């Protein structure tokens, strides 16, 4: 029963994540495609960055400052929405490219000397202490994801300038989703070739750890 409860919780968290992702794609399409965007459409274009700042505020000692900054920024956007409306496509493009750049930065930071690479940390949560082979492999995977997110950010920029914003909004979300899914599949195929099954975790185990928290880790270890 406990296993089913954790799995169900992980499923709903994953479903929520996918719903937010799809909603973000639809919101971007509406923002860029609207011919005469009103105040609410202009404000909606800034939802991702404002939401990110509010989420960050709960983990910093500058919570009040960040919340106040978001509120003031919202008022400035509201008052200047007519002018900002002409740059909605650029705003959406910069936000999406910045998101993947920040992901590359987050993965890359963990590659510094004395730090545990992000993929190594997730693998250790699933397996416990890692063998030398897994340490080397998970570090290479962290490097691969860092370069992948950086390349994806550059690709979105090129698509915007070459295809134009109206074509970009149709393909950027689909392209990024397909490429990320392909990256997961390719990495797992490489893992199956290079890592023995006794040391290999499944993609499901990694997702369960990520979305299910510490209780999921304990269940995975007890099952192995």
């Amino acid at each position: 029963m406990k296993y089913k409860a954790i799995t169900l919780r992980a499923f709903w968290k994953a479903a929520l994540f996918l719903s937010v992702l799809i909603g973000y794609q639809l919101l971007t399409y509406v923002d860029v495609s609207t011919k005469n965007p009103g105040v609410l459409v202009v404000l909606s274009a800034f939802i991702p960055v404002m939401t990110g700042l509010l989420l960050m505020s709960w983990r910093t000692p500058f919570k009040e400052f960040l919340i106040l900054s978001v509120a003031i920024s919202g008022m400035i956007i509201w008052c200047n929405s007519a002018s900002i409306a002409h740059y909605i496509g650029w705003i959406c493009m910069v936000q999406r490219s910045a998101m993947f750049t920040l992901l590359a930065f987050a993965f890359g930071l963990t590659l510094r000397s004395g730090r545990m690479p992000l993929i190594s940390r997730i693998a250790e949560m699933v397996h416990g202490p890692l063998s030398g082979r897994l340490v080397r492999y998970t570090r290479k995977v962290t490097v691969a994801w860092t370069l992948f997110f950086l390349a994806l950010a550059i690709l979105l920029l090129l698509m915007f300038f070459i295809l134009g914003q109206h074509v970009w909004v149709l393909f950027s979300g689909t392209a990024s989703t397909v490429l990320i899914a392909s990256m997961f599949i390719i990495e797992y195929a490489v893992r199956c070739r290079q890592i023995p099954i006794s040391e290999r975790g499944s993609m499901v185990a990694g997702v369960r750890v990520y979305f299910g928290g510490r209780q999921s880790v304990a269940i995975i270890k007890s099952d192995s």
Side-chain angles (χ1 to χ4, degrees):
M1 292 297 293
K2 189 175 181 181
Y3 173 83
K4 290 182 179 180
I6 296 297
T7 303
L8 185 62
R9 192 179 302 122
F11 169 79
W12 284 116
K13 287 182 179 180
L16 177 62
F17 174 78
L18 288 174
S19 299
V20 170
L21 181 63
I22 293 170
Y24 176 50
Q25 305 294 350
L26 292 175
L27 179 64
T28 304
Y29 179 78
V30 171
D31 290 338
V32 174
S33 302
T34 304
K35 292 183 178 179
N36 299 301
V39 176
L40 294 180
V41 174
V42 173
L43 279 172
S44 71
F46 291 88
I47 284 178
V49 67
M50 288 184 171
T51 303
L53 287 173
L54 288 174
L55 290 174
M56 286 171 54
S57 69
W58 299 111
R59 296 180 176 272
T60 67
F62 310 107
K63 178 165 57 177
E64 293 79 6
F65 173 76
L66 283 175
I67 293 175
L68 182 62
S69 298
V70 170
I72 293 174
S73 299
M75 290 301 299
I76 293 172
I77 294 167
W78 181 284
C79 294
N80 296 276
S81 60
S83 299
I84 296 172
H86 300 292
Y87 305 99
I88 284 187
W90 285 82
I91 291 166
C92 293
M93 179 273 291
V94 168
Q95 285 186 118
R96 188 165 292 184
S97 297
M99 176 180 68
F100 290 118
T101 301
L102 287 173
L103 282 171
F105 184 70
F107 274 73
L109 275 181
T110 64
L111 293 169
R112 292 182 301 170
S113 177
R115 298 285 299 274
M116 177 179 283
L118 182 58
I119 302 300
S120 302
R121 192 182 311 161
I122 295 173
E124 190 174 67
M125 291 175 69
V126 176
H127 298 283
L130 304 180
S131 65
R133 173 166 38 201
L134 273 179
V135 168
R136 292 188 295 272
Y137 177 78
T138 52
R139 182 176 181 83
K140 290 178 182 177
V141 174
T142 305
V143 171
W145 277 106
T146 301
L147 296 176
F148 172 79
F149 284 127
L150 187 59
L152 192 52
I154 295 171
L155 175 64
L156 291 181
L157 284 171
L158 292 176
M159 287 176 64
F160 184 85
F161 288 111
I162 295 172
L163 302 178
Q165 65 180 27
H166 291 93
V167 179
W168 172 85
V169 74
L170 291 173
F171 289 98
S172 62
T174 303
S176 56
T177 302
V178 169
L179 288 172
I180 290 171
S182 300
M183 181 68 174
F184 272 109
I185 294 169
I186 292 169
E187 186 278 317
Y188 186 68
V190 173
R191 191 190 323 169
C192 290
R193 291 181 63 88
Q194 295 192 4
I195 305 298
I197 192 169
S198 59
E199 300 180 35
R200 189 167 69 230
S202 67
M203 286 189 290
V204 174
V207 170
R208 195 187 302 165
V209 166
Y210 183 81
F211 286 106
R214 295 186 179 277
Q215 288 180 309
S216 297
V217 179
I219 289 177
I220 291 170
K221 288 182 177 179
S222 65
D223 289 345
S224 58

